Amino acid sequence: MHLSMWTYPWDIQDQGLAQATAELRDRAGLNTVSLATSYHAGRFLQPRSPDQKAYFPEDGTVYYRPSEETWAGKEIRPLMARNVVERGDMLAALTAARKEGGMKVSCWTVCLHNTRLGMLHPQHVTRNAFGNANYYNLCPSSPAARDYVVTMVAEITQAYKPDMLELESPNFMGFAHEYHHEKDGVGLLPEDDFLLSLCFCDHCMARAAKAGVAAKRACDTVKRFIAEMCEREVPEAQIPGFPGEGVDAFRAWPDLHAYLCWRTEPVTSLLAEIRAAAEPATRIFLIDLKDAWLGGVDLAAVGKVCDGLILCCYFMEAEAVSALTRSTRVTLGPDKYLGAGLRVFYPEVTSPSVLAASARAAIDGGADGINFYNYGLIPARRLDWVRKAVDGLAG
């Protein structure tokens, strides 16, 4: 069974590779480490770091050594984090340790969520119906953004040969909670967030038009929805059936419905290109959340174009975890990997028995493995919670 924990390079560097391996493998009972290989900005409380209790990683950098030859002439290029220069290539250290009996290695790779690159390349970010840029989200319809992600994954897998690579954000992102110090005095409803996230950049408009979709009329409809939302005294739902009915909640607006159906194409085809360019021996998994359709992800298509899916089951009781994994297994098909992502955060998870119940529910629902979140963000004693969850999966 695949059992991993999402981990940042600086966490392992702070603890030391030997101690981190002992904690992850021997104390927590895991067999894989999912190392952040490309990541975004943030502010992290690091409870076990001896010196860095508050840590601010560089925005939009990679934690491996890109080759100048690979990236020569590319419009969008990665920036290697100073961490690699100052503290060493942790991905290389983990893959070297694997040869000596260490843990399996997975590369946790953020794809299109990159504010640094968005600011540098505003012509390649998603844009709402008013043409306003979402600088944190490179657009999956942009040829240059697609080339950046495909090249990055190919380089990582061919140079380091990890056992697997996990794709985070190779899709359209939401509007809320994706940037810093966000301000909203309107009181956005979930449907408002979705409408503001819909991309009508030049790349999307051209790609949709080529597919025969009336993108301009869809854009006009969304623009009207957003304008009406902004004029209301208090929030009011406009889309009956959202989000439970998925894209079918928009059938009353045929052009918009057609655009939303098309919107999965850039994401699905990008995933297919990533899988085709990657090292064949490295399995490629998508990381996503419940209601993946909001980001333009077709879960049934995921099972056809890459090796599987890790579905984050956050803020869910065990019964809901079981129901979600069961339905996703049906959608994904019987032969593709299905993992469940579980956070070890308090008060989302209040005890080891709660975590164990969710892990058991995921496996009983058809999951093939569990990823726990996150090694450096939890107190050491919660690794024992992980161990109890893992032990509960035996037999």
Side-chain angles (χ1 to χ4, degrees):
M1 184 182 295
H2 176 72
L3 297 165
S4 189
M5 181 165 269
W6 284 302
T7 307
Y8 301 119
W10 52 88
D11 295 327
I12 300 178
Q13 291 157 345
D14 285 349
Q15 302 300 322
L17 181 55
Q19 180 177 332
T21 299
E23 289 189 335
L24 289 166
R25 182 181 59 194
D26 304 327
R27 183 172 183 175
L30 307 175
N31 53 38
T32 306
V33 55
S34 294
L35 186 76
T37 313
S38 168
Y39 207 68
H40 48 72
R43 186 220 67 202
F44 304 132
L45 174 62
Q46 306 285 124
R48 295 204 318 285
S49 175
D51 302 310
Q52 300 183 114
K53 296 303 183 187
Y55 188 68
F56 293 77
E58 292 178 85
D59 192 12
T61 58
V62 298
Y63 294 87
Y64 74 95
R65 296 187 183 276
S67 164
E68 180 60 36
E69 181 180 358
T70 298
W71 294 95
K74 300 285 187 184
E75 184 174 359
I76 302 179
R77 297 162 56 100
L79 174 65
M80 184 174 69
R82 289 194 302 271
N83 172 279
V84 180
V85 177
E86 296 170 357
R87 306 188 70 179
D89 187 341
M90 185 48 61
L91 179 56
L94 284 169
T95 53
R98 179 185 56 185
K99 298 175 184 177
E100 305 301 322
M103 303 177 75
K104 290 188 293 183
V105 179
S106 185
C107 292
W108 170 24
T109 306
V110 174
C111 298
L112 298 173
H113 184 187
N114 196 311
T115 303
R116 185 188 68 82
L117 288 177
M119 291 290 189
L120 287 173
H121 304 280
Q123 67 275 34
H124 297 297
V125 301
T126 63
R127 291 180 177 269
N128 66 27
F130 285 82
N132 311 133
N134 297 314
Y135 292 106
Y136 52 81
N137 187 189
L138 295 171
C139 182
S141 289
S142 159
R146 293 167 71 92
D147 184 54
Y148 164 73
V149 174
V150 171
T151 303
M152 177 173 61
V153 172
E155 181 175 54
I156 292 169
T157 58
Q158 292 167 14
Y160 292 86
K161 294 183 169 50
D163 299 276
M164 57 211 72
L165 185 141
E166 304 164 10
L167 302 167
E168 179 181 325
S169 70
N171 51 287
F172 298 100
M173 299 176 65
F175 178 73
H177 309 304
E178 307 295 358
Y179 199 64
H180 309 295
H181 298 292
E182 297 169 328
K183 308 296 181 182
D184 161 31
V186 173
L188 294 179
L189 300 175
E191 66 181 45
D192 302 326
D193 174 80
F194 177 66
L195 291 166
L196 283 162
S197 77
L198 293 177
C199 181
F200 296 96
C201 72
D202 290 345
H203 304 291
C204 278
M205 297 294 273
R207 198 174 182 104
K210 189 176 180 180
V213 176
K216 177 62 169 59
R217 290 201 293 269
C219 180
D220 290 342
T221 299
V222 173
K223 196 171 184 179
R224 186 177 69 252
F225 275 132
I226 294 172
E228 291 173 356
M229 173 268 293
C230 290
E231 292 169 1
R232 287 192 170 91
E233 185 175 6
V234 295
E236 181 182 336
Q238 304 179 78
I239 315 294
F242 181 93
E245 296 179 10
V247 296
D248 284 346
F250 297 86
R251 282 195 178 277
W253 304 274
D255 293 325
L256 177 55
H257 182 261
Y259 189 79
L260 296 179
C261 291
W262 162 82
R263 187 168 169 260
T264 63
E265 186 280 325
V267 179
T268 300
S269 60
L270 176 57
L271 291 172
E273 289 180 27
I274 291 170
R275 174 61 277 179
E279 164 66 35
T282 299
R283 293 191 294 170
I284 304 296
F285 300 150
L286 171 67
I287 303 173
D288 216 319
L289 301 166
K290 181 187 177 184
D291 293 329
W293 69 271
L294 295 171
V297 174
D298 179 346
L299 291 182
V302 169
K304 297 180 175 66
V305 298
C306 62
D307 301 303
L309 169 71
I310 299 172
L311 196 62
C312 296
C313 302
Y314 299 160
F315 296 104
M316 293 184 188
E317 302 290 338
E319 184 177 345
V321 171
S322 178
L324 181 60
T325 50
R326 287 182 192 281
S327 63
T328 305
R329 170 54 74 196
V330 172
T331 301
L332 195 63
D335 301 324
K336 296 292 177 147
Y337 177 84
L338 174 60
L342 299 176
R343 290 206 293 197
V344 197
F345 283 11
Y346 186 92
E348 180 180 342
V349 177
T350 56
S351 70
S353 60
V354 171
L355 184 64
S358 292
R360 181 75 260 175
I363 298 302
D364 289 346
D368 300 303
I370 307 289
N371 272 47
F372 297 94
Y373 189 93
N374 174 297
Y375 175 63
L377 301 180
I378 60 173
R381 291 183 179 180
R382 277 197 222 146
L383 294 172
D384 300 327
W385 295 18
V386 174
R387 184 58 185 247
K388 180 169 182 177
V390 168
D391 288 347
L393 303 178

